[in-house]
Amino acid sequence: MTEVLEGVDARVARKVLWRLMPFLCLLFIVNYLDRTNVAMAKLRMSGDVGLSETIYGLGTGLFFIGYFIFEVPSNLIMERVGARRWIARIMLSWGVVSAGMMFVRGPASFGALRFLLGAAEAGFFPGIVLFLTYWVPARRRAAVMAWFLTSTATSGIIGNPLAGALMKLDGARGLHGWQWLFLVEGALPVVMGVVVWKILPDRPAEARWLSAEEAAWINEELRGERQEHPGHVAELRAAIRDGRLWLLSGIYFMIIMGLYGFVYWVPTIIKSVSPGVTDVKIGLLAAIPYVVGAVTMVVVGKHSDHTEERRWHVAACCAIAAAGVMMVAWGTSHGFVMGALCVAAVGIFGSLGPFWALATHFLRGSAAAGGIAIVNSIGALAGFVAPFVIGWAKDATGRFTGGLLVVAGALVCGAALVLMVGEYGRS
């Protein structure tokens, strides 16, 4: 991990990375477990409470409507009150709502609780991205972001088998297995929120494990970097008027179409080509593409930093993801679909590190807090569109093909749009 900041003070880099990154990754793993565990719960919950594929897709997507509404205000508050307090608050809130998913009784309660979960989680991911801009120079941010974002893939590696195991508790103490899944995984962020409140430093100057000289060195690095790039935007009003922000938001929307078209349907897609397979085995099989995605993220992020190039890395990954999704759309055999899911994972997860290095390059101050949240919240709307489109297509045609082809088309658009980003994107 320390290689990602090669060329700067190795001792400080090592200390920052090993003190912060494992903990932040753990938080994001817990975040993604609660955001996406509904994909495994669906295998039994839909029949128990009466959810069609369309209703599942719509209700799942309502998470992102709540997320979208509260995202920007949440990040602006975090900049004012500090990461420690606000991230702890977010985790406590979403843990309670996530555990409350065990009380779903039908489409209305499913949609309402998914909306509330999105509202509770709003600001967590962009808040962490903003937090990292206080610690990591932009020229090394793709690899650091890639390490952090492996949490999305790691959550699938851990979460799907864990969910399969928890669902085996079906009938224990009168609860369905999917209710145990929501209860146990909802308790995790509550515990972690208390830990965040106790130990997370807001800025380098507040880190007890850094000396005053080391904290000053980090701040000087970041200050010097801002002086070298006069194109940076520091005020939110200026960022909102900057076309770069909206172009990046559109690109991220297309990438997230791929991500959540993938995340929320992988177990169901695998089950559709693997008749008779148990939930536990589906959980294990669903982890395989995430393993591939985690490795890819690190490799692509490091290469992007080494070459100091972002646009072509994102474009190439989007194109690979589109190819993988199209293969899934037309696949009918278990082996072919599993291979196609791995190809899709390479592109989808590989794009994230270089994209966020690109998106955070010209933003600082309140522009960073609000701008990062705007990009992420607009991307989050794709988390509403993709699951709904795929679910509707499945109910209408009996196949995933139409919805997946829409997702693949969005990824192709993302590849084209990112090449329109100007040279400011180079760090």
Side-chain angles (χ1 to χ4, degrees):
M1 188 183 295
T2 56
E3 292 175 18
V4 298
L5 286 180
E6 183 180 6
V8 301
D9 189 291
R11 177 173 53 83
V12 180
R14 184 182 302 112
K15 188 177 291 188
V16 168
L17 286 169
W18 285 109
R19 288 282 188 161
L20 290 181
M21 293 307 294
F23 184 61
L24 294 178
C25 287
L26 177 60
L27 298 184
F28 201 35
I29 288 169
V30 172
N31 176 253
Y32 249 69
L33 286 179
D34 282 350
R35 184 182 299 192
T36 62
N37 56 13
V38 69
M40 282 295 295
K42 171 188 179 291
L43 300 177
R44 300 296 174 189
M45 179 176 68
S46 291
D48 289 341
V49 303
L51 303 180
S52 68
E53 302 286 9
T54 301
I55 292 297
Y56 166 75
L58 176 63
T60 296
L62 285 173
F63 169 96
F64 296 97
I65 301 300
Y67 200 87
F68 173 80
I69 293 171
F70 295 100
E71 180 93 320
V72 175
S74 179
N75 229 36
L76 293 175
I77 292 172
M78 195 195 90
E79 190 199 14
R80 290 179 176 272
V81 306
R84 179 177 63 86
R85 294 180 181 86
W86 199 243
I87 290 174
R89 193 284 304 164
I90 290 172
M91 297 192 75
L92 290 168
S93 300
W94 102 55
V96 171
V97 178
S98 182
M101 287 287 294
M102 67 184 290
F103 298 112
V104 168
R105 293 295 181 268
S109 56
F110 178 63
L113 283 166
R114 286 295 295 180
F115 177 87
L116 288 175
L117 183 62
E121 283 192 25
F124 178 78
F125 173 71
I128 297 292
V129 174
L130 176 64
F131 177 76
L132 287 172
T133 67
Y134 302 153
W135 297 79
V136 181
R139 66 182 180 276
R140 303 299 183 189
R141 211 166 281 160
V144 171
M145 283 302 302
W147 275 108
F148 172 62
L149 289 166
T150 55
S151 307
T152 61
T154 304
S155 71
I157 297 168
I158 297 171
N160 287 310
L162 175 61
L166 288 172
M167 288 172 67
K168 289 184 69 176
L169 295 173
D170 194 62
R173 296 188 178 274
L175 298 177
H176 295 292
W178 57 267
Q179 291 178 302
W180 278 110
L181 168 59
F182 288 128
L183 177 61
V184 172
E185 293 192 356
L188 293 176
V190 174
V191 174
M192 294 305 298
V194 174
V195 177
V196 167
W197 182 274
K198 294 286 187 181
I199 71 170
L200 188 69
D202 287 317
R203 302 270 185 157
E206 299 176 19
R208 296 178 181 177
W209 38 267
L210 285 176
S211 68
E213 293 76 13
E214 290 168 338
W217 177 85
I218 294 173
N219 290 329
E220 189 59 34
E221 280 287 312
L222 296 172
R223 186 181 303 111
E225 189 172 67
R226 290 193 293 268
Q227 292 171 350
E228 293 169 8
H229 295 280
H232 283 182
V233 178
E235 298 296 329
L236 181 56
R237 289 183 181 179
I240 290 173
R241 294 193 299 267
D242 196 315
R244 296 177 293 184
L245 181 70
W246 302 106
L247 177 57
L248 289 165
S249 297
I251 294 164
Y252 196 54
F253 181 94
M254 302 304 174
I255 293 173
I256 297 303
M257 281 287 289
L259 179 64
Y260 287 118
F262 181 92
V263 166
Y264 286 121
W265 290 97
V266 165
T268 304
I269 289 170
I270 293 174
K271 186 173 183 177
S272 71
V273 294
S274 311
V277 174
T278 66
D279 292 342
V280 173
K281 188 170 182 181
I282 288 175
L284 292 170
L285 289 170
I288 294 173
Y290 288 97
V291 174
V292 175
V295 173
T296 301
M297 291 178 84
V298 175
V299 172
V300 173
K302 289 178 67 174
H303 189 267
S304 177
D305 277 348
H306 178 71
T307 59
E308 296 189 37
E309 199 287 322
R310 312 300 187 198
R311 295 179 301 161
W312 283 101
H313 282 78
V314 176
C317 286
C318 284
I320 292 169
V325 171
M326 285 189 285
M327 291 164 63
V328 174
W330 295 110
T332 56
S333 69
H334 172 83
F336 182 86
V337 168
M338 286 300 302
L341 287 171
C342 290
V343 172
V346 166
I348 291 167
F349 291 106
S351 69
L352 295 175
F355 173 81
W356 279 110
L358 185 66
T360 58
H361 180 65
F362 75 103
L363 298 168
R364 58 188 176 89
S366 63
I372 291 167
I374 287 170
V375 171
N376 194 61
S377 61
I378 290 176
L381 290 177
F384 172 77
V385 174
F388 174 71
V389 167
I390 294 173
W392 176 84
K394 181 66 165 61
D395 274 341
T397 67
R399 292 176 56 84
F400 293 104
T401 305
L404 290 173
L405 290 178
V406 171
V407 169
L411 288 163
V412 171
C413 290
L417 286 174
V418 77
L419 296 179
M420 296 172 60
V421 179
E423 281 303 305
Y424 77 90
R426 291 184 63 85
S427 61

